[in-house]
Amino acid sequence: MVGKAGGGARRVRVVLLGIVLALLGGGSWIVWELRAVAAHLADGDPARGTYLQDPERADRTAAAVLDGLVVEVEAPRDDTPAPTGSEATPEPAGPATPVRWRQGAAWRPSSPLEARNTAPEPAIGALFSPGGDWDADHHCSAAVVHSPDGDLLVTAAHCVYRGGFRTNLAFVPGYRDGAAPYGVWVPTRIDVDPRWTESADPDHDVAFVRVRRPGHPGERLEDVTDAPAIRFRPRLPAPARVVGYPNDAEQPVDCYNTARADGPAQVRLDCAGVPDGTSGGPILTDGSTLIGVVGGRDGGGDAMTSYSSWFDDGTRALYARATGSP
């Protein structure tokens, strides 16, 4: 099975190779790469599962993303008709135009059950990690989720914490072909379940990330992009859609099928062609309600299936902690 966060398997192989070569007296360039990776990790508070980002470090990350990786452009007008299921998201031919999958839209499974290119959407984007590690380009996906302060993302925990919290994260909502129509946003705080920091428990592969846009004080992400509501303990089976950014593509893919329970703590959605990089991408039902993110079992699944940790009471408590809700 293959995890769906870009670079994960490669990182393990290179780490092992670096250790072997270092022991043999060689592999200095790999040792240098390992130091570069370590330079972008922080302990935070693993017992609580919280990391508060240093503002200057976050500003440097945003600047690095805007220095050759993406260009801020004017957001396109959202004047497209409401989609109507899998036929509603043909491969776009021309400038990026956001598509909002509206509540009440007709739904039917993709045919064939295979992900295909779709138009970018304001509330869904790519996660970048510039600055010297193997994931300089986008490596995961994330979605804006409704919150009291309008500044919250949800993604997979393995996208933000692997032996430490990533300190070089940036979110580009509505990303396509190097364009950032809704700006570049960086974390102020990351929250994951302590069971993830302790043992990478796949039943708790969820993270909430509070963000801000450098150079735009007071701007709220949700005001710019809108946001789906989150549903805890979703009733399954349910018609659903998975969306994410492959790490070797410049636009998202999506697929419609039925989300089903897979044991007491996992949700699965069977669909081919949802590759590496889609980890953290949202699983949506009822048009605009978020019930999962690609992650969980096997790092998010394999070539035929996407998984999510079940959004249970533990996820509800994590959301409350991230938002400061009572």
Side-chain angles (χ1 to χ4, degrees):
M1 299 252 177
V2 179
K4 295 188 177 180
R10 178 174 56 180
R11 175 173 292 105
V12 172
R13 289 195 297 270
V14 174
V15 167
L16 293 175
L17 180 59
I19 292 172
V20 170
L21 291 179
L23 290 173
L24 294 176
S28 59
W29 70 272
I30 296 179
V31 173
W32 181 88
E33 289 281 1
L34 295 176
R35 288 174 179 167
V37 172
H40 296 294
L41 295 177
D43 290 338
D45 183 353
R48 182 170 170 79
T50 298
Y51 171 65
L52 299 178
Q53 174 68 301
D54 174 68
E56 291 185 2
R57 175 173 277 182
D59 288 349
R60 290 196 297 270
T61 297
V65 170
L66 290 167
D67 185 20
L69 291 179
V70 307
V71 176
E72 290 186 322
V73 298
E74 184 177 352
R77 292 172 55 195
D78 183 17
D79 55 4
T80 55
T84 55
S86 61
E87 295 301 315
T89 53
E91 181 176 352
T97 302
V99 176
R100 297 174 190 260
W101 198 45
R102 295 183 177 88
Q103 185 82 13
W107 179 92
R108 58 183 174 274
S110 297
S111 181
L113 280 176
E114 184 173 353
R116 62 178 183 175
N117 292 339
T118 186
E121 303 171 45
I124 301 170
L127 283 176
F128 287 76
S129 289
D133 68 12
W134 298 295
D135 292 328
D137 206 345
H138 57 87
H139 61 92
C140 271
S141 305
V144 188
V145 62
H146 178 64
S147 65
D149 291 331
D151 63 351
L152 194 66
L153 305 179
V154 64
T155 187
H158 72 257
C159 292
V160 301
Y161 184 96
R162 288 188 177 184
F165 288 94
R166 283 182 183 263
T167 63
N168 59 335
L169 283 170
F171 175 65
V172 182
Y175 175 78
R176 183 179 178 186
D177 293 331
Y182 307 99
V184 175
W185 301 75
V186 294
T188 60
R189 172 178 171 142
I190 301 173
D191 283 282
V192 301
D193 193 295
R195 286 167 288 191
W196 177 263
T197 59
E198 180 180 357
S199 62
D201 186 336
D203 292 343
H204 302 281
D205 192 3
V206 182
F208 292 101
V209 184
R210 298 186 73 159
V211 296
R212 63 179 176 87
R213 186 180 180 188
H216 296 260
E219 187 170 57
R220 299 188 345 149
L221 176 61
E222 195 171 329
D223 293 340
V224 176
T225 64
D226 204 358
I230 189 169
R231 179 178 298 166
F232 303 103
R233 292 206 164 274
R235 186 172 298 175
L236 299 175
R241 172 184 178 231
V242 61
V243 193
Y245 282 81
N247 61 7
D248 60 354
E250 293 299 285
Q251 68 183 94
V253 298
D254 73 350
C255 191
Y256 297 76
N257 200 2
T258 300
R260 303 181 184 278
D262 194 303
Q266 297 284 321
V267 176
R268 68 180 291 161
L269 190 146
D270 294 317
C271 185
V274 184
D276 284 0
T278 55
S279 280
I283 298 175
L284 300 160
T285 191
D286 294 339
S288 59
T289 303
L290 190 141
I291 62 169
V293 293
V294 178
R297 182 171 298 163
D298 301 318
D302 56 25
M304 302 302 295
T305 300
S306 294
Y307 291 99
S308 169
S309 302
W310 192 291
F311 281 11
D312 59 6
D313 290 340
T315 312
R316 188 197 304 271
L318 184 64
Y319 173 87
R321 168 154 61 92
T323 60
S325 305

